Structure formats: C-alpha cells, structure tokens
Amino acid sequence: MGWRVSVYFGFDFSAEGQALLRLAARGDEQAATEQFNAGAYRPIGAEYDQLMNALVAIKSYSLGTTISRALYAENPNLLAHAYWRGVVDVHAGRPDEAISIAGDAIKRLGQQNSLYRVVGLAMMSVGSLNNAGSALQNALKLSETPIALAYLAEVLRLMGRTRDALAVFDRCFALGCNDAEAYYLAGNALYDAGQIDQAITRYQQAVAAKPWYLDAQDVLNKTLWEHGRHADFLKSFDAATTALPDLLFIRLRHAYFLIMAGKLSDAVQLLETCLETYGPNARVYSELATAKAQLEDSFDPLPLYEKAHELDGSDIGLIKSYSRALISKQDYERAADVLKARTADDQFDQECLAFLAACNSHIAPREAARVNDYEGLVQVFDINAPTGYASIGAFNRALLQALQPLHRSDVAPIDQTLVHGTQTHGNLFKTDNAVIKQLEAQLNICIGRYVEHLRQTGPGEFRDRITDGFDFSGAWSVQLSDGGYHHDHVHSSGWISSVYYVEVPDDLDSDAHEGWLKFGDTAFDPNNTGPHSFVQPKQGRLVLFPSYMVHGTVPIRAGKRRTTIAFDVVPA
C-alpha cells in the first residue's frame, strides 16, 4: 500500500490514495483516473470506504465510477465493492444500475443493511418514495444503523411528513450519530418545519464534520444569505480552505458565491490567488473572466474564456461561458462552431440550444425560427377547477393557503434569476399535501396533451427525447413583490418548463405587459431585437414551453404580489 502520510480528508491515507485525492481536489479527475488505471493501487478496508466517501462528497463521480467499477469487477463478492459501486451509480444519475447491482449482491451475499440502503437511495433519487421507504425499513430490520434512520427520515420529509421525519432523526442522533450527511439531511427537515436557526446549526455541524462536503456548504451559505445571517455567510469556506489547502473546488465554489453576492473584488483576489497556487486552470480562468467583466465595464473577458477553452474544450460549462462571450462580441459563427463541437452527451443541453438559436438568428434565421417557434411551441392551458371546488378561484385560494407557509425566506435565493421575491425550497410535488396533489393531477393531463402536440409538430431538439412517460425534475413556488421580476434565463436541467398562475393582481397594466411572461429577450446578444412573444398572466393559467427557450418576466410594480408555481419536466 505504500508508506503512510499525514491525515488528509480526515483519514490517514496511503501515499497512493492521497495522490489520487490531491488530483481530484484540484479538479483534475482525468489525470487521477489515468493514474489509477496505470497503477496497482487498490484501496481496501477503511481506506476504500474513506476514499469513496471523499469522492462522493466532492462530486468526483467520474473518478469514483472508475475506481468502484474496477474493484467490483475484480471481486463482486466483497460487500464494500458492491455497496460503493451502487452508491456511486446513484450519485452519478444511474439509479437503475445501482438497483441491479444491489439486487444481484443480495442474491449472492444475503440480506445486508448497506445493500438495502443503496436500493433506498436509488428509489429516493427517482421519487419512488414508498419503495424507498420499504427498502430502508428492510435495512433497519437487519440493524438499526444511524445512517439508515437518516435516510428513512429523508424519505418521510420528501413525503411531506416533516414531524415524523424529525422524530426519526431524534432516534438517529440518540444512537450517537455524528455523520455529516445525517446532519445535512436533518437540517433540511428542520428547515421544512420552519425551524431555521436549528436547521442552520445542523448544516454547520455537517460542514464541521466534513468541510469538503459540497452539498452542505452550498445549503448552509444559501440559507444564511436568504435569512439575513450575513455575519456568518461564507465563513465555512474559509474554514474548509484552512483545513485542506488543496481544495480548489471549494475555492471555486467560494468565488462563485462571492460573485453572486456582488463581492467582485474579493472574488477576483481569490481567483488570482488560485492561479498563483495551482497554475493555469480552465475553471479558474472562466470564473475570473466572469468576475472581472462585472467589476470593470471596460474589461474584455474573451481572452480569459479563450484560455479556459484551450485548456478544456469539452467541459460543457466552459463551452457555454465561452460561446456566450463570443455572442456578446457578435462573433456568431465562432460561437456556433464552439457550441456544435459539444459532445454527444451534451447534445440536448438546454442552454446550448438557446445560445445556438441566438447565433442562428443572425447567421441562419430560418433555423432559429424553426427552434424558437413561439406560436407553435408555447402552449397555454386554462385549467378547470378540480373536483370539490366551485371555481378555479376557490381552488387557487386553497392552493395559496398551502403554499404560503413554504415561503420562509426573507430574500430571493442567491443563485436564481429571481429579483424582489421569494422561492420555496425542495420539490413541491414530493409532498402528500392534498391540494398540491390535485394540482399535479391537473398538470399531468395538460403535459400529456402538450407532449402529444409536439410529437407531431415539435422540432427534433424536443421531439427526439419523447418517451412513453415523463417525470417532474423540480417544482417550486415563486412570489414576486415590490417590483419583482425574473431575469431572462433558460432551464438548463429541463425539457419542458412552465408557469402556473396561482395569484395574479387585478390591476396589472396590460399595455405595459406588467408581470407578463416574455420570450426571446436575449440580453447577452447586443443585436437582440426581443422580446418576441408575451403571455398574459391569469389565475388558473398554465403555460408550457421547451426549456431551451429564453424567457423572463416583465417587472410588476411595488405594492403588488404575484404567486406562481413553476416546474421542469424530463422524459422518464
């Protein structure tokens, strides 16, 4: 295994394990993968568990996949090999593979708590909450481990059974649990219960236990921002950097939050320090270009984006940043070439489709019009009142009453397009609230009709993804107030996007399109002539459109409030 070195990522790793983690921490998964494939390093026992824990926490899924698959292939009858193969598959978005691996292992190795946890996580990841709960109950029958209790509590939270979830978390922590993931999940349940201070405490415990845990770092700092705790905002990143100076990905996330918070000088200083410390790095160049362009009106970010693209021409995030910068310079042909060079895995990336349409509006107008056919692709449904309600107005009043307690924050999320408003957390449709479920049933009918419409008339960018079903990948409520609006944006993780109007002010100025949904206002293009289409808000109205369409909201005036539900749909 090699000589021992100092504690790294909270464990006394071998030299080989630490070398891989150093590369992963610096964002160089490819070099780490090549190093693993070229060597004889095979982590065993506690080192394997700690290595995979660290890779999952920092979202190094490519390297985690390589290692877990190699060890599973060499010895599938070792419980740890089957378990980590399944866990990485879940986190990498391969739940079906995870369930298959865990099921096969149960047949060979017998019933095991850890394997049922894999099944539970996989089922949870696709919203199959009853099946997830059953799998986790099976795990707990074998042994009442704290982490299995934490996962069961998360299932209950997602079902909307917050009180039951908190009771299970009490059992989890009564067993002496000090697991960072359990703290993080408990924080989410406390947030749902409106116990914001207690939620923040649990998030802080998560990052104290595991400073490199990206999900916990994100949710802690977003919560601190949304609830005005600015004195503690971003302190956890400083602590993580002090604990592990190699964590470039933590510094990059820190810089991202600084940019979102408007602390541009601090972001530039941090990113320039990263270049001095780590040398040329594509993501550092890209973030530095973004920060400097916002800080200095005269700064030209294009050379930095070009450096980033030269270092890594396949990263989809860098492709989008670079192409957008080219569009801003009116170099539409070069931007189109960069976008067309994306890999097959990213061919349906919604932002890429939007940027390519923006380019084509200048170099291939017919192609742009085919993709952005606002008349044919934006569809409006005025839904009927569900059974038991005298009118759609009565239903929406009940719906608003269910939504209002979920708007807990003081300000808009730091990383969203919302200005002057609030947004709910989590997926609204992963709840057992009866009114929200009634809306979901109505929406399903409209989505089905919309898909059938576009099966016949939609562009290939939409039509080629149609399957026999669909899932909600996210659902949330937004309240605009005091001049609120949405910046123009694209839903990068969607396929179908939406807005459903729950509450609409009576006195909106229709001549000024106040509060209206608008399409095609591509502000990043200096030659943009949009918006090209508007939809008037109306209580009980649902609007569906392809997620790649650039859309936003015309501001409402101060003193007015508008409440909506939005969601993204993906092929099942």
Side-chain angles (χ1 to χ4, degrees):
M1 290 290 276
W3 52 274
R4 310 304 293 182
V5 294
S6 58
V7 170
Y8 192 59
F9 275 88
F11 185 76
D12 187 22
F13 283 100
S14 64
E16 296 93 333
Q18 187 176 123
L20 286 181
L21 280 172
R22 283 193 184 280
L23 290 170
R26 290 170 179 252
D28 199 344
E29 279 194 282
Q30 182 175 348
T33 299
E34 291 172 356
Q35 184 168 300
F36 177 82
N37 287 335
Y41 172 59
R42 290 296 183 268
I44 60 173
E47 174 153 352
Y48 184 46
D49 289 335
Q50 294 295 326
L51 178 69
M52 299 308 295
N53 256 315
L55 294 178
V56 169
I58 67 175
K59 301 183 184 291
S60 186
Y61 301 142
S62 176
L63 177 60
T65 295
T66 297
I67 296 173
S68 63
R69 288 190 172 185
L71 269 65
Y72 180 78
E74 291 168 7
N75 187 356
N77 292 321
L78 196 61
L79 178 59
H81 291 182
Y83 171 71
W84 284 113
R85 168 72 197 274
V87 168
V88 173
D89 279 338
V90 171
H91 286 283
R94 300 184 293 265
D96 290 345
E97 292 184 40
I99 292 169
S100 176
I101 291 294
D104 290 345
I106 288 171
K107 292 176 183 176
R108 294 193 310 273
L109 306 176
Q111 298 185 57
Q112 303 286 340
N113 177 292
S114 61
L115 296 176
Y116 280 119
R117 293 203 315 264
V118 170
V119 176
L121 284 173
M123 292 294 185
M124 206 188 319
S125 73
V126 297
S128 183
L129 299 180
N130 287 328
N131 288 328
S134 296
L136 293 166
Q137 291 283 13
N138 286 336
L140 290 164
K141 288 176 184 176
L142 297 169
S143 57
E144 193 171 62
T145 57
I147 194 61
L149 284 169
Y151 291 157
L152 178 61
E154 172 68 356
V155 170
L156 293 170
R157 180 187 79 86
L158 292 173
M159 288 178 167
R161 296 169 58 185
T162 307
R163 183 177 298 179
D164 292 336
L166 291 175
V168 175
F169 276 120
D170 286 342
R171 287 168 56 194
C172 169
F173 293 117
L175 292 174
C177 179
N178 59 0
D179 186 278
E181 189 173 11
Y183 288 138
Y184 162 72
L185 296 174
N188 291 342
L190 287 163
Y191 191 98
D192 285 359
Q195 300 177 38
I196 307 303
D197 289 341
Q198 295 91 326
I200 289 173
T201 296
R202 287 302 190 194
Y203 294 146
Q204 289 171 330
Q205 289 176 308
V207 299
K210 192 181 289 185
W212 53 90
Y213 189 4
L214 270 180
D215 284 342
Q217 288 279 7
D218 272 7
V219 74
L220 170 61
N221 285 288
K222 289 177 182 178
T223 304
L224 292 170
W225 174 267
E226 289 181 38
H227 293 275
R229 316 297 170 87
H230 293 166
D232 293 325
F233 179 61
L234 302 185
K235 280 187 176 179
S236 61
F237 285 117
D238 293 328
T241 300
T242 300
L244 283 169
D246 286 329
L247 297 179
L248 174 59
F249 67 88
I250 283 287
R251 295 191 185 209
L252 282 168
R253 199 63 184 160
H254 188 180
Y256 170 81
F257 274 97
L258 288 169
I259 294 170
M260 292 295 101
K263 300 176 182 289
L264 300 171
S265 295
D266 292 341
V268 168
Q269 182 178 354
L270 174 57
L271 292 163
E272 288 179 339
T273 299
C274 287
L275 287 177
E276 294 171 5
T277 304
Y278 304 107
N281 180 278
R283 292 182 183 177
V284 175
Y285 281 135
S286 182
E287 290 293 323
L288 187 58
T290 300
K292 282 193 168 185
Q294 293 184 34
L295 183 62
E296 307 168 23
D297 290 339
S298 60
F299 180 77
D300 181 5
L302 195 56
L304 285 175
Y305 285 125
E306 287 172 343
K307 284 185 178 181
H309 189 67
E310 287 170 6
L311 288 172
D312 189 346
S314 62
D315 183 284
I316 191 62
L318 300 179
I319 285 173
K320 290 186 284 192
S321 296
Y322 182 35
S323 63
R324 182 169 175 149
L326 288 166
I327 292 171
S328 73
K329 295 293 184 181
Q330 303 171 57
D331 192 348
Y332 303 114
E333 292 191 3
R334 173 64 180 148
D337 289 341
V338 170
L339 291 162
K340 290 174 183 176
R342 67 191 187 278
T343 67
D345 290 341
D346 298 317
Q347 71 175 111
F348 291 121
D349 183 278
Q350 301 298 289
E351 284 183 289
C352 285
L353 294 174
F355 294 165
L356 190 55
C359 296
N360 284 332
S361 66
H362 303 287
I363 60 179
R366 284 189 177 182
E367 177 64 11
R370 178 187 67 82
V371 173
N372 282 336
D373 174 12
Y374 301 112
E375 184 176 346
L377 302 181
V378 178
Q379 295 286 297
V380 175
F381 302 83
D382 291 323
I383 72 169
N384 298 317
T387 301
Y389 294 91
S391 66
I392 193 64
F395 171 71
N396 280 319
R397 286 191 291 274
L399 183 57
L400 181 62
Q401 188 174 11
L403 295 174
Q404 200 61 53
L406 304 179
H407 283 274
R408 298 190 178 95
S409 58
D410 301 318
V411 296
I414 193 171
D415 58 346
Q416 298 295 320
T417 62
L418 176 60
V419 178
H420 298 311
T422 61
Q423 181 171 312
T424 60
H425 287 227
N427 189 330
L428 280 180
F429 296 152
K430 289 183 177 179
T431 177
D432 60 359
N433 182 281
V435 182
I436 294 174
K437 284 296 183 187
Q438 284 178 301
L439 175 66
E440 183 183 354
Q442 294 286 77
L443 298 178
N444 279 324
I445 295 170
C446 298
I447 295 166
R449 289 165 52 193
Y450 181 72
V451 171
E452 285 308 307
H453 168 69
L454 292 192
R455 189 190 296 272
Q456 307 299 324
T457 64
E461 286 83 351
F462 181 95
R463 191 181 60 250
D464 291 348
R465 297 181 66 190
I466 293 175
T467 62
D468 291 334
F470 54 83
D471 288 323
F472 293 99
S473 59
W476 58 97
S477 174
V478 171
Q479 280 192 336
L480 298 182
S481 58
D482 297 325
Y485 64 97
H486 282 279
H487 286 294
D488 296 281
H489 62 288
V490 171
H491 291 210
S492 57
S493 299
W495 174 51
I496 300 170
S497 292
S498 65
V499 58
Y500 174 75
Y501 295 99
V502 180
E503 176 190 37
V504 178
D506 293 330
D507 55 347
L508 292 179
D509 184 347
S510 59
D511 291 335
H513 295 124
E514 183 187 2
W516 288 33
L517 180 63
K518 59 178 176 140
F519 291 93
D521 199 3
T522 48
F524 52 86
D525 178 3
N527 292 320
N528 168 57
T529 59
H532 298 291
S533 180
F534 293 92
V535 176
Q536 183 176 13
K538 177 183 175 183
Q539 189 186 84
R541 173 163 288 176
L542 170 68
V543 187
L544 298 176
F545 51 91
S547 297
Y548 63 72
M549 280 189 168
V550 177
H551 61 283
T553 307
V554 179
I556 63 171
R557 294 175 184 170
K560 300 178 182 180
R561 189 178 77 175
R562 191 209 72 176
T563 305
T564 58
I565 287 176
F567 56 85
D568 286 330
V569 170
V570 294

